């Protein structure tokens, strides 16, 4: 009670100051007495509660497309109507009442963030819970549900550091009280979200060789972050038995896992039959929420500018040019999306959905440019932990118990960019090695934050609402074939120019963190080692001999799949090597990972992986990033599963995303089909 009283006193004081400034700025607001300014400040707090009471009990039953219009009229109208009843206050019109509402909400959000006030907690309790109880048709049952919370790009190593360093107090409390334990696992060769989420959510990530690749059959470049491509991938890998099938919900993911409801999910943006969830999610379009989100957005922009400046003043070991002033606006958009995902996830558990999988991408995004173990990255983990704390508080009001599982899809590894370390890019190295005999097209940078922004906008414009139609008209210039396409790889004019370059190129060079993919576009199938040697006799030799390259993977007509190093060759077909083992620094499963990657029809003609130094734990990135992922080497290959100890595991190593699916789906099937006691008898608990 004392804490709440102090918070109310602070908020009221801040509101008084804001109102005094507004009276100087707004001609239609007049404050004639001290009593009046105190009165309207207190009135705002009560009217905010009255607004939500009216909305929940009366207006929420109206058609959802009316929500944005009604909420703004209601919020501004209440301040205009009741504010004029306060002695010493004159509010001339409705517009002024709305401006007062937006200003006070924005400042309260700012102050709440600075002082860690429980504004979100109160909203979740007083608004979301009551609205769901009336409109959400919650399913009351004793059968536990599953809540999967994925932190994109967080390795087991950094997760443990975040727990022990006090950056994730909510999750640490679970570990300390003994309710949860950490289970590490190992990714496939291509340690990136597209391949890992298809494996985790569908149990099938065949023919997903990288984040982007060359489609030989259709002679086109595949970009997994494009909603059209994601839809194609989802259709190919789905067998109808995904992790979220039978009533689950996907929130913010690349793929749906056969979820019944799917929101901000790339793989289902083009599927009009897939539900997003209850229409009342539009209750978020209110001045109290919009003003709060906008305030947080610009706070995040300023925070990124400040942190980028501090990174330079600290003279961190690795700094990349990609972390420029413009990047701040996209980082803020990703954080904004996480706020929305948290709101929706809380709604989902309060409705009692049997399974929910929500993706939090901000750590992966910031770590790319600040470093995986930088102060900036750990601060992001602290913010994510606060989201999880909100969800944890909401779970006590859920109509069913939940098993909460926090996991990551891959980690990140650190090192200089290939160009910074050696003064040359992979494109330039390939070009110099083919002596101008062919034209090279290269795509060496991945901007995953554009994927999140485009998912949000595409979900918005494809909703069946008047608001969506207005938004669609607004961003028509950025729309192609009905899809929003923001970002350097998605600009319509640039895509046309790039397509002409691709059509003219005989060699395509792509990057995925420390992995480089080289394709020969005039080949209808994978070109053999012998054919490459005839056409480009210096290419493979120059790649192997370069000090920044750890190994090269090719397929030989005579010897099968070969991993070539500077002092030895690994014969994948016979699992033997001659000379020095080129895979010795990449882990005991490296050969198996490469053997599987090489089996894909879409496998590149040549795969290169930068050299990994096990002493420093570093390897170079072909992309313009401080920390990266996409190939073999270091923490990028070792994510984690933080799960309840009541869910058994067999103690065997988890290798590959498909095995993670089998574990998670096995848990869900056993629990929700009431088979866990039988399962536990045959499985030894992992320690």
């Amino acid at each position: 009670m004392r804490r709440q009283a102090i918070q109310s006193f602070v908020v009221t004081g801040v509101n008084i100051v804001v109102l005094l400034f507004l009276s100087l700025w707004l001609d239609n607001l007049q404050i004639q007495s001290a009593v009046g300014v105190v009165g309207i400040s207190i009135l705002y707090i009560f009217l905010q509660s009255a607004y939500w009471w009216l909305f929940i009990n009366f207006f929420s039953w109206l058609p959802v497309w009316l929500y944005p219009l009604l909420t703004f009229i209601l919020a501004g109208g209440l301040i205009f109507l009741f504010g004029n009843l306060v002695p010493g206050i004159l509010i001339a019109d409705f517009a002024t009442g709305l401006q007062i509402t937006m200003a006070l909400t924005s400042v309260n959000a700012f102050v709440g963030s600075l002082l860690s006030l429980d504004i979100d907690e109160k909203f979740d309790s007083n608004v979301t819970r009551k609205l769901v109880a009336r409109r959400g048709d919650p399913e009351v049952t004793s059968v536990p549900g599953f809540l999967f919370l994925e932190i994109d790009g967080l390795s087991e190593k950094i997760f443990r550091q975040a727990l022990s360093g006090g950056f994730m107090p909510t999750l640490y409390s679970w570990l300390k009280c003994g309710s949860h334990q950490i289970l590490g696992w190992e990714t496939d060769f291509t340690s990136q979200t597209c391949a890992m989420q298809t494996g985790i959510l569908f149990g099938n990530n065949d023919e997903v060789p990288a984040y982007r690749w060359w489609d030989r059959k259709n002679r086109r470049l595949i970009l997994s972050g494009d909603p059209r491509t994601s839809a194609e991938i989802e259709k190919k890998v789905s067998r109808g038995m995904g992790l979220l099938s039978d009533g689950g919900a996907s929130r913010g993911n690349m793929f749906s896992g056969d979820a019944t409801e799917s929101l901000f999910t790339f793989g289902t943006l083009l599927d009009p039959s897939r539900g997003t969830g209850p229409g009342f999610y539009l209750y978020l379009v209110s001045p109290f929420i919009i003003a709060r989100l906008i305030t947080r957005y610009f706070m995040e922009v300023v925070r990124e500018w400040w942190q980028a400046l501090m990174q330079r003043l600290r003279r961190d070991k690795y700094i990349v040019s990609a972390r420029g002033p413009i990047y701040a606006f996209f980082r803020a958009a990703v954080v904004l999306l996480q706020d929305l995902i948290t709101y929706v996830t809380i709604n989902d558990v309060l409705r009692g959905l049997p399974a929910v999988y929500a993706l939090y991408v901000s750590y992966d995004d910031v770590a790319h440019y600040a470093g995986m173990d930088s102060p900036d990255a750990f601060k992001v983990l602290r913010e994510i932990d606060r989201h999880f704390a909100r969800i944890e508080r909401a779970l006590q009001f859920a109509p069913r118990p939940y098993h909460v599982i926090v996991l990551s899809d891959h980690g990140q590894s650190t090192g200089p960019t290939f160009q910074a370390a050696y003064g040359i890019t992979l494109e330039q190295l390939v070009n110099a090695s083919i002596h101008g005999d062919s034209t090279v097209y290269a795509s060496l940078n991945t901007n995953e934050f554009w994927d999140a922004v485009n998912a949000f906008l595409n979900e918005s414009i494809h909703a069946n609402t008047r608001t969506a139609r207005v938004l669609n008209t607004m961003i028509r210039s950025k729309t192609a074939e009905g899809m929003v396409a923001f970002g350097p790889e998605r600009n319509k004019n640039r895509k046309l120019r790039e397509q002409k370059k691709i059509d003219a190129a005989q060699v395509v060079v792509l990057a995925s963190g420390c992995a480089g993919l080289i394709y020969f576009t005039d080949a209808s199938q994978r070109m053999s080692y012998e054919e490459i040697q005839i056409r480009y006799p210096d290419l493979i030799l120059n790649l192997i001999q370069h000090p920044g390259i750890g190994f090269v993977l090719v397929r030989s007509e005579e010897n099968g799949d070969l991993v070539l190093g500077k002092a030895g060759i690994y014969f994948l077909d016979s699992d033997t090597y001659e000379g020095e083992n080129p895979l010795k620094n990449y882990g005991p499963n490296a050969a198996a990972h490469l053997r599987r990657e090489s089996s894909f029809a879409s496998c590149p003609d040549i795969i290169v992986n930068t050299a990994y130094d096990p002493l420093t734990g570093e390897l170079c990135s072909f992309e313009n990033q401080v920390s990266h992922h996409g190939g073999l080497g270091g923490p990028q290959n070792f994510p984690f599963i933080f799960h309840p100890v009541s869910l058994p595991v067999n103690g065997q190593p988890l290798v590959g995303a498909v095995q993670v699916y089998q574990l998670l789906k096995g848990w869900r099937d056993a629990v929700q089909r009431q088979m866990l006691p039988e399962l536990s008898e045959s499985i030894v608990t992992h320690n």
Side-chain angles (χ1 to χ4, degrees):
M1 291 295 293
R2 182 181 178 184
R3 180 170 176 261
Q4 291 178 347
I6 293 173
Q7 289 184 7
S8 299
F9 179 79
V10 170
V11 170
T12 302
V14 170
N15 287 348
I16 290 172
V17 174
V18 173
L19 286 166
L20 290 174
F21 275 105
L22 286 176
S23 67
L24 299 176
W25 179 48
L26 299 175
D27 294 334
N28 292 329
L29 171 63
Q30 296 181 23
I31 298 177
Q32 300 167 346
S33 69
V35 174
V37 72
V38 173
I40 195 171
S41 177
I42 297 173
L43 178 67
Y44 164 78
I45 297 173
F46 284 103
L47 288 182
Q48 189 177 32
S49 299
Y51 160 84
W52 285 115
W53 183 85
L54 287 170
F55 181 81
I56 292 169
N57 289 280
F58 299 102
F59 296 107
S60 66
W61 298 99
L62 296 173
V64 294
W65 60 265
L66 283 173
Y67 287 4
L69 177 64
L70 284 174
T71 55
F72 278 81
I73 292 176
L74 183 60
L78 287 173
I79 286 288
F80 170 57
L81 178 63
F82 289 96
N84 283 312
L85 299 179
V86 177
I89 295 294
L90 176 62
I91 302 173
D93 52 32
F94 159 79
T96 304
L98 185 57
Q99 288 175 301
I100 293 171
T101 299
M102 297 288 283
L104 292 178
T105 302
S106 298
V107 173
N108 285 347
F110 176 74
V111 173
S113 178
L114 290 180
L115 303 180
S116 299
L117 303 182
D118 57 354
I119 295 176
D120 287 318
E121 181 181 354
K122 288 181 178 178
F123 181 85
D124 296 336
S125 177
N126 297 331
V127 178
T128 304
R129 186 158 58 94
K130 293 177 180 178
L131 184 61
V132 171
R134 289 181 176 272
R135 294 291 315 278
D137 297 323
E139 178 186 349
V140 180
T141 176
S142 61
V143 177
F146 280 79
L147 176 58
F148 304 99
L149 301 173
E150 181 187 311
I151 305 175
D152 188 13
L154 182 60
S155 67
E156 180 186 356
K157 172 186 174 182
I158 301 300
F159 179 56
R160 290 184 181 273
Q161 290 180 15
L163 291 176
S164 61
F167 293 99
M168 307 191 81
T170 303
L171 300 192
Y172 179 71
S173 69
W174 301 355
L175 182 67
K176 189 175 181 180
C177 76
S179 68
H180 282 65
Q181 61 186 4
I182 303 172
L183 172 64
W185 65 281
E186 184 176 344
T187 67
D188 302 287
F189 166 74
T190 176
S191 53
Q192 45 79 32
T193 302
C194 178
M196 295 304 94
Q197 276 212 342
T198 47
I200 294 170
L201 291 171
F202 292 107
N204 178 14
N205 59 359
D206 292 343
E207 296 300 333
V208 184
Y211 176 81
R212 59 166 77 82
W213 67 90
W214 176 255
D215 180 354
R216 292 188 180 92
K217 181 179 180 180
N218 298 300
R219 294 189 51 80
R220 61 171 181 155
L221 190 63
I222 299 294
L223 180 64
S224 60
D226 185 309
R228 286 176 291 267
T229 303
S230 297
E232 294 174 6
I233 295 172
E234 169 138 342
K235 184 177 180 180
K236 288 180 181 178
V237 300
S238 173
R239 295 169 294 191
M241 300 180 293
L243 181 63
L244 303 176
S245 58
D246 300 321
S250 167
R251 307 307 185 197
N253 301 299
M254 286 200 73
F255 303 100
S256 74
D258 294 320
T260 303
E261 296 180 8
S262 184
L263 187 66
F264 307 139
T265 301
F266 295 91
T268 58
L269 288 175
L270 296 175
D271 185 358
S273 65
R274 191 72 58 94
T276 59
F280 64 68
Y281 283 161
L282 271 179
Y283 77 92
L284 297 174
V285 185
S286 77
F288 298 107
I289 301 298
I290 296 298
R292 191 185 308 173
L293 293 178
I294 291 174
T295 302
R296 287 178 176 171
Y297 176 86
F298 285 106
M299 286 175 63
E300 195 65 30
V301 170
V302 174
R303 176 185 297 177
E304 164 56 25
W305 286 340
W306 174 257
Q307 290 180 348
L309 175 62
M310 290 299 100
Q311 183 189 39
R312 284 166 171 76
L313 293 178
R314 288 194 308 264
R315 297 186 178 181
D316 286 2
K317 186 176 181 180
Y318 302 123
I319 299 175
V320 292
S321 59
R323 194 180 190 185
I326 299 300
Y327 163 67
F329 294 96
F330 303 106
R331 170 180 170 176
V334 169
V335 172
L336 184 69
L337 180 61
Q338 285 191 170
D339 276 349
L340 292 173
I341 287 173
T342 301
Y343 281 123
V344 173
T345 300
I346 289 173
N347 276 272
D348 290 339
V349 297
L350 291 176
R351 291 161 53 214
L353 297 190
V356 181
Y357 197 110
L359 174 63
Y360 287 78
V361 300
S362 60
Y363 169 80
D364 185 69
D365 180 43
V366 171
H368 278 316
Y369 304 106
M372 66 181 187
D373 55 358
S374 65
D376 304 345
F378 281 120
K379 287 176 183 177
V380 171
L381 291 176
R382 189 189 298 277
E383 290 299 317
I384 292 175
D385 187 81
R386 288 175 182 166
H387 286 297
F388 292 173
R390 284 181 59 193
I391 295 171
E392 181 187 31
R393 287 190 291 268
L395 285 173
Q396 63 183 308
F397 304 107
R400 65 159 77 204
Y402 274 92
H403 289 301
V404 183
I405 298 168
V406 180
L407 71 158
S408 58
D409 55 342
H410 56 78
Q412 291 195 6
S413 297
T414 293
T417 66
F418 194 78
Q419 184 175 21
Y422 301 103
I424 191 172
T425 66
L426 180 60
E427 176 188 8
Q428 292 167 339
L429 178 59
V430 172
N431 243 324
S433 302
I434 63 176
H435 307 297
D437 294 337
S438 298
T439 301
V440 176
Y441 171 82
S443 181
L444 303 180
N445 284 306
T446 301
N447 296 309
E448 293 177 277
F449 54 78
W450 283 113
D451 296 342
V453 172
N454 285 323
F456 170 71
L457 291 173
N458 275 296
E459 195 77 66
S460 301
I461 69 168
H462 285 90
N464 187 23
T465 67
R466 296 186 183 185
T467 304
R469 290 190 284 274
V470 171
L471 181 59
N472 206 340
T473 302
M474 185 188 306
I475 59 177
R476 183 173 294 161
S477 64
K478 294 295 183 181
T479 304
E481 300 176 10
M483 301 301 297
V484 177
F486 279 92
E489 293 179 311
R490 301 156 182 84
N491 177 275
K492 286 189 290 186
N493 293 329
R494 178 169 176 172
K495 284 180 70 175
L496 289 174
R497 292 194 300 269
E498 293 296 297
Q499 188 59 50
K500 290 180 180 179
K501 293 179 182 179
I502 294 172
D503 293 340
Q506 289 79 49
V507 184
V508 169
V509 179
L510 307 173
S512 183
C514 64
L517 295 77
I518 302 172
Y519 290 91
F520 303 105
T521 61
D522 56 355
S524 59
Q525 58 185 6
R526 187 175 177 186
M527 193 176 288
S528 70
Y529 165 74
E530 290 81 4
E531 291 172 324
I532 297 170
Q533 284 297 101
I534 293 173
R535 184 177 297 189
Y536 305 110
D538 295 332
L539 176 57
I540 294 176
L541 181 63
N542 286 354
L543 290 172
I544 295 171
Q545 291 182 337
H546 192 281
I549 302 297
F551 64 80
V552 173
L553 171 65
V554 292
R555 172 165 289 176
S556 166
E557 296 172 6
E558 180 180 353
N559 297 296
D561 292 330
L562 304 176
V563 180
L564 309 175
K566 292 176 176 56
I569 300 176
Y570 199 110
F571 299 88
L572 289 178
D573 290 6
S574 61
D575 210 20
T576 59
Y577 63 89
E578 295 180 2
E580 185 177 298
N581 181 4
L583 297 178
K584 67 178 182 179
N585 292 333
Y586 297 91
N589 296 311
H593 291 318
L594 291 173
R595 193 177 299 113
R596 181 172 186 267
E597 181 81 3
S598 191
S599 71
F600 296 161
S602 50
C603 180
D605 299 287
I606 302 174
I607 291 179
V608 299
N609 201 102
T610 58
Y612 175 63
D613 185 342
L615 296 179
T616 64
E618 294 187 350
L619 73 169
C620 292
S621 170
F622 292 121
E623 299 186 74
N624 190 18
Q625 297 172 343
V626 174
S627 293
H628 52 87
H629 55 90
L632 292 180
Q636 65 177 320
N637 302 123
F638 299 98
F640 68 91
I641 302 171
F642 189 49
H643 67 93
V645 296
S646 59
L647 298 176
V649 293
N650 61 15
Q652 297 299 313
L654 280 178
V655 181
V658 172
Q659 288 194 8
V660 174
Y661 162 83
Q662 292 168 349
L663 177 69
L664 301 183
K665 189 66 161 61
W667 282 341
R668 187 183 168 202
D669 288 347
V671 169
Q672 295 184 343
R673 296 177 185 176
Q674 303 294 296
M675 293 163 49
L676 190 58
E678 291 82 356
L679 186 70
S680 300
E681 292 177 2
S682 61
I683 296 181
V684 180
T685 302
H686 175 87
N687 291 309

